[in-house]
Amino acid sequence: MLGLGNSICLSGAPAEFLPSGISDLEMWLKYETGITTSGSNVTAWADQTGNEHGLVQNTESEQPTLVGSAVRFDGSDTDMNIDTDISINANQDFTLITLIATQGSDPSNASIWGSNANNIFRFNDNQTFRTKIGGAGSSDFAEGSATIALTTYYTIMLIRSGSTEGNLKVYVGDANTNTTNGGVSWDDAETHTDADAFALNTVMGLSNRSQRLQADIKEMLVYTKALDLNERQDIIDYHNAIVAG
């Protein structure tokens, strides 16, 4: 039963594969697991890796709600903070993953992963994503003719791999095909040095209240490496099974 300070752990996620089977898992906000509620409001979502990168929101008016098996952000004033920042160097390989369904209106200038007042990864609209590390400059990724359909779940991955040309890639529900930013690398697109670091410390919101996303989230993952094709496909298959129920 949900209630004040209750932590829920529900069954239903597929057992054949788990994200923890892939090395270098830094953060795992697991489907239907470790969610603490006050009434229908979500006050915390525990990280399953033991790295204490769970989400918290102590301000009642800014808390998302639990709707079925999803954490729902209202697009107005709800967001959550990462309890212990995730520090990543700009020249470090990483993978950010969200199982997300936008709700209500097309996403526009809306952050998924943030660092202080900067959007590390956001929707520009329902066909374009943007990355940014503070300062001037950004890197856009066109989804092409495909459109992010409302109320439909997608596994969205932002991957930085120093071993590939155009070292930032975005995958949307497809392990093989990445969106393009014309081969512009993270380092070329941003005004920083390779040694610059950023700290992921918020999801679904920034200090600018206009940059909020109305969406449901079932799972979030961070790896401190670039996932390969087989690993990406394992995650997508796992998420597809979650959505199928």
Side-chain angles (χ1 to χ4, degrees):
M1 181 173 63
L2 304 183
L4 181 62
N6 286 335
S7 181
I8 64 172
C9 182
L10 306 179
S11 60
E16 293 79 7
F17 165 85
L18 290 175
S20 53
I22 298 175
S23 64
D24 300 308
L25 178 59
E26 181 68 20
M27 174 195 196
W28 183 14
L29 304 179
K30 186 179 179 180
Y31 169 69
E32 291 192 323
T33 301
I35 300 173
T36 301
T37 61
S38 176
S40 62
N41 285 9
V42 175
T43 61
W45 192 354
D47 175 19
Q48 300 302 303
T49 67
N51 293 327
E52 299 183 357
H53 298 312
L55 302 185
V56 294
Q57 181 50 267
N58 295 321
T59 302
E60 184 176 358
S61 63
E62 298 179 13
Q63 292 166 351
T65 55
L66 188 66
V67 179
S69 62
V71 178
R72 174 165 292 177
F73 295 82
D74 66 9
S76 175
D77 57 2
T78 55
D79 60 24
M80 298 192 81
N81 301 313
I82 297 175
D83 193 31
T84 301
D85 293 359
I86 303 173
S87 295
I88 301 176
N89 289 330
N91 62 351
Q92 172 186 338
D93 288 359
F94 60 83
T95 302
L96 309 183
I97 303 173
T98 311
L99 179 58
I100 187 171
T102 58
Q103 305 286 332
S105 62
D106 291 343
S108 178
N109 293 328
S111 177
I112 303 173
W113 298 91
S115 177
N116 295 321
N118 299 317
N119 348 248
I120 297 304
F121 186 50
R122 82 181 196 201
F123 287 99
N124 266 3
D125 51 41
N126 65 347
Q127 290 183 237
T128 308
F129 298 94
R130 170 167 288 188
T131 64
K132 188 180 179 81
I133 300 180
S138 60
S139 185
D140 290 345
F141 298 81
E143 179 62 5
S145 60
T147 299
I148 303 299
L150 296 179
T151 74
T152 300
Y153 276 97
Y154 297 87
T155 299
I156 299 175
M157 303 183 184
L158 172 66
I159 298 180
R160 194 274 182 188
S161 174
S163 63
T164 60
E165 182 179 356
N167 62 10
L168 283 178
K169 297 183 185 299
V170 178
Y171 296 82
V172 183
D174 186 333
N176 289 284
T177 306
N178 59 276
T179 64
T180 179
N181 66 343
V184 177
S185 72
W186 179 278
D187 298 324
D188 290 339
E190 302 294 339
T191 55
H192 60 74
T193 66
D194 284 351
D196 285 345
F198 60 90
L200 291 175
N201 56 26
T202 186
V203 299
M204 303 298 285
L206 301 172
S207 59
N208 182 343
R209 296 290 181 178
S210 68
Q211 294 177 302
R212 298 299 176 100
L213 183 61
Q214 186 176 2
D216 291 356
I217 291 180
K218 288 183 181 285
E219 191 158 276
M220 302 187 85
L221 301 155
V222 176
Y223 290 89
T224 53
K225 72 172 185 178
L227 298 194
D228 64 24
L229 172 60
N230 290 334
E231 292 167 334
R232 295 194 300 270
Q233 190 62 59
D234 282 342
I235 293 291
I236 288 173
D237 290 345
Y238 163 75
H239 281 172
N240 287 344
I242 286 175
V243 173

